[in-house]
């Protein structure tokens, strides 16, 4: 019964998030996050299918791996959503309740993107701030939650930004200063995994 409930909520959130892709009145990322959460707890097959789809890779994977968006991406999404909601607001001149609801949704989505989602530096800014790059091979990761756990463990170090891919069992780590393998190994171990290889790529 519990799995069926997670399955139902997963499909509903998937539908809502996909509608949000076409009509940006609904926030896509939160619904897709809920979809991943529910599918992971109800069906490994559906979870694997969803994380392999283009919808996940385009709209959620950058957020999950980096835990944020660049300012340009934020303003692009907010601009599109504001345009759509502005049109809806104008068309609802005879429906004051609808305008109030739409205005509340607009305020929420602006607050969410500006304050709830971390702002990431653009590629050039990131390369300047974190010029050193390491590719880590990690043993023990099996799911998206594992990648989240390792990302959190690595980014607790103030000089690190990380991108983790559990499907390839790798983590790309950007650092402000050179770090010894022992430090990287210790951070990986804190997440409960084992560092098997380190390759300096930059």
């Amino acid at each position: 019964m519990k799995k069926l409930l997670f399955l139902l909520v997963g499909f509903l959130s998937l539908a809502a998030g996909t509608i949000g892709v076409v009509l940006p009145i609904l926030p896509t990322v939160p619904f897709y996050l809920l979809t991943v959460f529910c599918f992971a707890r109800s069906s490994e097959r559906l979870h694997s299918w969803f994380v392999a789809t283009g919808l996940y890779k385009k709209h959620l994977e950058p957020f999950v791996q980096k835990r944020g968006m660049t300012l340009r991406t934020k303003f692009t999404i907010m601009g599109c959503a504001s345009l759509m909601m502005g049109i809806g607001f104008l068309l609802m001149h005879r429906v004051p309740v609808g305008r109030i609801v739409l205005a509340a949704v607009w305020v929420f989505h602006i607050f969410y993107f500006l304050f709830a989602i971390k702002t990431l530096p653009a590629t050039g800014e990131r390369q300047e701030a974190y010029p050193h790059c390491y590719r880590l091979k990690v043993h023990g990761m099996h799911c998206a939650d594992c990648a989240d756990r390792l990302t959190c463990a690595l980014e607790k170090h103030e000089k690190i930004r990380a991108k983790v891919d559990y499907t390839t069992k790798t983590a790309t780590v950007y650092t402000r200063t050179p770090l010894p393998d022992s430090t990287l190994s210790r951070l990986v171990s804190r997440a409960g995994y084992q560092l098997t290889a380190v390759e300096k790529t930059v």
Side-chain angles (χ1 to χ4, degrees):
M1 189 66 183
K2 183 179 179 181
K3 285 189 175 181
L4 287 176
L5 181 60
F6 275 122
L7 199 62
L8 177 61
V9 175
F11 276 116
L12 290 175
S13 58
L14 174 61
T18 304
I19 291 172
V21 173
V22 182
L23 301 173
I25 295 175
L26 296 174
T28 300
V29 170
F31 281 117
Y32 277 176
L33 283 172
L34 181 59
T35 300
V36 171
F37 177 83
C38 290
F39 281 174
R41 284 153 182 78
S42 59
S43 171
E44 183 62 33
R45 180 177 298 179
L46 283 172
H47 179 269
S48 299
W49 165 78
F50 180 61
V51 298
T53 62
L55 290 172
Y56 175 88
K57 292 181 182 299
K58 180 178 180 180
H59 298 281
L60 191 57
E61 188 174 62
F63 175 74
V64 170
Q65 292 184 345
K66 300 178 183 179
R67 295 184 171 273
M69 300 177 180
T70 64
L71 195 60
R72 180 177 180 179
T73 301
K74 284 187 178 185
F75 280 120
T76 299
I77 295 174
M78 288 190 296
C80 292
S82 297
L83 177 62
M84 295 296 297
M85 285 187 274
I87 293 172
F89 188 86
L90 292 174
L91 294 176
M92 289 184 180
H93 61 280
R94 295 184 179 179
V95 189
V97 175
R99 281 189 161 187
I100 292 173
V101 171
L102 202 56
V105 172
W106 181 81
V107 171
F108 169 78
H109 109 275
I110 292 295
F111 178 85
Y112 178 81
F113 276 94
L114 288 180
F115 301 107
I117 298 178
K118 181 173 66 176
T119 300
L120 299 175
T123 302
E125 294 173 346
R126 188 212 67 200
Q127 290 177 345
E128 183 178 347
Y130 300 89
H132 305 278
C133 181
Y134 302 87
R135 185 176 177 84
L136 315 181
K137 293 292 291 184
V138 180
H139 177 72
M141 292 193 297
H142 305 291
C143 62
D145 288 341
C146 297
D148 289 347
R149 189 179 304 116
L150 180 56
T151 301
C152 289
L154 290 169
E155 293 195 344
K156 281 184 178 179
H157 194 293
E158 62 178 6
K159 297 181 180 180
I160 287 179
R161 289 294 177 268
K163 179 180 180 181
V164 180
D165 185 352
Y166 77 91
T167 60
T168 59
K169 307 292 190 290
T170 60
T172 304
V173 176
Y174 302 93
T175 68
R176 293 181 179 175
T177 59
L179 291 179
D181 292 0
S182 58
T183 298
L184 296 171
S185 179
R186 185 174 67 254
L187 293 170
V188 171
S189 298
R190 287 179 181 176
Y193 310 116
Q194 181 183 357
L195 180 63
T196 59
V198 179
E199 176 189 358
K200 194 174 190 308
T201 60
V202 177

